[in-house]
Amino acid sequence: MCLLRGSTSRITELPRAPGRLPLLGHAWPMMRNPLRFAGSLPGRGDLVEVRLGPVRACVPCHPDLLWQVLTDDRTFDKGGPFFDRVRGTIGNGVGSCPYHEHRRQRRLIQPSFHPERLERYATVMEQESVTLTGEWEHGQVVDVYGALYGTALRTVLRSLFATRLDADAAAGFRESVETVLNQLTARMFLPQPLQRLPLPVNRRFDRAVAGLRHGIENLVAEYRSGGTDRGDLLSALISARDQTTHSGTTHNEPEAPGGGSLDDTEIHDQVLTMLAAGSDSVAAAVSWALYLLDRAPEALARLHREVDTVLGGGPATGASVRELPYTGRVVTEALRLYPPGWLFTRVTTERSELGGYQLPSGTTVAFCAPAVHRRAGLYDRPDAFDPDRWLPERARNLPKGAFAAFGGGARKCAGEAFGLTESTLLLAAIVGRWRLRRAPGSDVRPVALSTALRPRRLLMEISARDARTAEKGQA
């Protein structure tokens, strides 16, 4: 073991997570119950060793250590065998590119999420939430995550592409995205020889990736030939220009490859990243919020009062988000308890110190938000659902690394405002019209081998809050 404590020459091993198996490492307990596994780590220490298969990884379980990893992305860089496999599928977009490329990419995509554009996207979010809640009927039982995933994917597709996709194209995008997302995380841990075998599951995955690439390339070509800004994400990516010149970089900042705009390959990679991040993450967050609210009647009653007062029976709009603070706190608390992106890896680019341990260059560091989000002593009753813990007067005393559902530092998710706006609108639209109760047959254990930590099967029975809607459903 090559981790040294402090500045002494005595080799001291990191505390290890229990339950390691030969070859598999901690894969079994991690996949079987990821939140229980993550929640157990702080009890072992502030920096804990886990095995991701044969790979040794250090997990920061203290907010200060996690913040150090998130904010020093030059030292703790995206990379290693797991991210290399992700790049092989979704490309080298802003979410997966290494440090020396990230600053340029971030500058180029940031205008895509300008507040003025977000207002346009919010209109799409409103329309899709109205469509979803209008399709449900009193007494119906729905698979909540599946329904929300369809809505979130349609929202991100319409936000990306103002040109209305025909039904076949939209269905093709959805099928391909679902196939890729359902397999992406699992393929991070599978040996590459297994991924190259001509098995049906591998062929479906390869076809889905090729289909997405072909569809996006066709749309980019169509947009470039049109030459007009259609007010969507793809137009913003195509028109993005980096005003920063090489002469403006510091001697500490490496010159990034690429020019002052995104080429077609880079746009393709950004679109894939946005499709992945903007669909299942929102669906998972709102699914968990509905599950938590069903178990907390007082919180649900408060939410009903706020939504009824603000919306007055009308649709949730982008302008109403700022008037729904409790709804926003419910979403944030769901993200704390069930962060969609629950496990990422970084790799040290040089010898560095973390928590008093000296990490050699090339050490894998696993960023696991639940290990901090559910840490005893950091939050009052860390496993309890308490939206008011995000009141400003309570949240201001938390250390910076205490909440990391969107990452932190320069690599904090560029689509944070997009995701929070959509989640808030969607939740408000649902609870404003319907009451959802967990139905028999549900299995709410989190799915770990997914790009978002989602419930396996959350079935909920829908009851109309309006008597006339209930009577119509029973007719």
Side-chain angles (χ1 to χ4, degrees):
M1 185 67 177
C2 52
L3 298 171
L4 306 183
R5 180 71 172 182
S7 59
T8 68
S9 60
R10 183 171 62 88
I11 296 179
T12 305
E13 293 185 352
L14 277 174
R16 293 177 178 173
R20 179 166 63 95
L21 298 175
L23 300 179
L24 295 176
H26 292 100
W28 174 247
M30 288 174 66
M31 300 304 118
R32 186 167 181 265
N33 196 324
L35 294 180
R36 180 184 299 172
F37 178 80
S40 71
L41 297 180
R44 311 292 293 188
D46 290 343
L47 190 66
V48 179
E49 179 191 310
V50 301
R51 291 291 185 95
L52 305 176
V55 178
R56 284 176 172 145
C58 308
V59 180
C61 302
H62 190 282
D64 293 346
L65 303 188
L66 178 56
W67 190 246
Q68 179 183 342
V69 170
L70 293 176
T71 55
D72 185 4
D73 57 320
R74 179 198 291 269
T75 302
F76 301 96
D77 197 6
K78 293 286 182 79
F82 302 108
F83 259 105
D84 288 345
R85 294 179 186 181
V86 170
R87 291 188 188 114
T89 299
I90 66 171
N92 199 40
V94 71
S96 55
C97 67
Y99 170 82
H100 70 278
E101 299 179 36
H102 177 262
R103 298 299 188 270
R104 169 183 168 271
Q105 288 199 25
R106 182 62 181 249
R107 288 192 297 267
L108 285 165
I109 73 161
Q110 197 62 53
S112 305
F113 298 100
H114 188 277
E116 290 184 3
R117 288 189 180 270
L118 187 58
E119 290 180 7
R120 302 178 189 177
Y121 310 150
T123 301
V124 176
M125 298 171 189
E126 174 190 342
Q127 294 168 352
E128 290 297 336
S129 65
V130 168
T131 298
L132 173 70
T133 56
E135 291 174 344
W136 289 348
E137 297 180 357
H138 179 76
Q140 180 183 359
V141 175
V142 298
D143 183 337
V144 169
Y145 172 80
L148 294 175
Y149 174 79
T151 295
L153 182 57
R154 286 193 300 272
T155 297
V156 74
L157 282 172
R158 290 183 57 195
S159 299
L160 274 164
F161 315 125
T163 299
R164 288 297 186 102
L165 301 174
D166 61 45
D168 290 341
F173 265 105
R174 172 168 181 163
E175 181 179 354
S176 296
V177 171
E178 287 179 341
T179 299
V180 170
L181 294 185
N182 286 340
Q183 296 188 41
L184 183 59
T185 302
R187 292 171 72 91
M188 289 172 62
F189 298 96
L190 285 176
Q192 288 188 325
L194 291 180
Q195 299 180 33
R196 290 193 289 266
L197 292 176
L199 301 174
V201 65
N202 290 336
R203 289 199 294 267
R204 282 196 300 272
F205 185 84
D206 293 339
R207 283 197 302 269
V209 172
L212 282 175
R213 184 173 296 277
H214 180 69
I216 294 169
E217 287 173 351
N218 286 343
L219 284 168
V220 171
E222 176 189 334
Y223 273 54
R224 287 200 186 280
S225 64
T228 58
D229 187 339
R230 308 182 190 189
D232 55 10
L233 278 164
L234 185 55
S235 294
L237 292 173
I238 290 174
S239 62
R241 296 293 180 270
D242 186 1
Q243 303 302 322
T244 304
T245 62
H246 290 315
S247 61
T249 60
T250 68
H251 67 279
N252 292 321
E253 187 82 12
E255 291 191 358
S261 61
L262 296 167
D263 62 29
D264 286 2
T265 298
E266 290 175 319
I267 290 174
H268 166 272
D269 294 350
Q270 308 303 340
V271 169
L272 271 183
T273 299
M274 292 174 185
L275 283 173
S279 53
D280 59 347
S281 295
V282 168
V286 180
S287 295
W288 289 121
L290 292 168
Y291 164 72
L292 292 164
L293 287 165
D294 182 45
R295 302 175 66 196
E298 292 184 3
L300 180 60
R302 284 185 62 185
L303 185 59
H304 281 156
R305 288 195 296 271
E306 177 177 89
V307 169
D308 293 347
T309 300
V310 174
L311 303 184
T317 67
S320 61
V321 168
R322 65 179 64 93
E323 301 176 41
L324 296 166
Y326 189 71
T327 312
R329 294 200 297 273
V330 168
V331 170
T332 301
E333 180 68 344
L335 289 168
R336 182 187 70 85
L337 289 168
Y338 298 96
W342 74 281
L343 183 68
F344 298 99
T345 58
R346 300 281 180 95
V347 176
T348 56
T349 57
E350 58 188 31
R351 187 180 179 89
S352 56
E353 180 180 332
L354 186 63
Y357 289 88
Q358 296 297 319
L359 308 184
S361 178
T363 299
T364 298
V365 178
F367 156 31
C368 183
V372 173
H373 287 187
R374 292 174 177 251
R375 181 185 172 101
L378 178 59
Y379 290 100
D380 178 36
R381 300 179 302 127
D383 293 328
F385 175 59
D386 179 11
D388 278 346
R389 72 172 79 249
W390 298 107
L391 286 166
E393 59 269 25
R394 291 179 60 182
R396 70 167 59 100
N397 296 321
L398 291 171
K400 291 182 178 179
F403 181 76
F406 294 98
R411 300 203 74 133
K412 190 174 186 180
C413 177
E416 177 184 9
F418 184 105
L420 287 175
T421 299
E422 183 179 2
S423 299
T424 302
L425 287 179
L426 195 50
L427 181 60
I430 291 170
V431 302
R433 185 168 182 178
W434 303 104
R435 168 71 166 93
L436 276 66
R437 295 178 175 85
R438 185 176 165 188
S442 293
D443 182 354
V444 295
R445 289 176 297 170
V447 177
L449 285 178
S450 173
T451 50
L453 195 69
R454 59 178 177 84
R456 298 188 186 204
R457 183 174 171 82
L458 177 56
L459 301 178
M460 304 193 83
E461 183 177 358
I462 299 171
S463 300
R465 295 187 60 213
D466 179 84
R468 289 171 298 179
T469 304
E471 291 172 0
K472 181 180 178 181
Q474 293 171 345

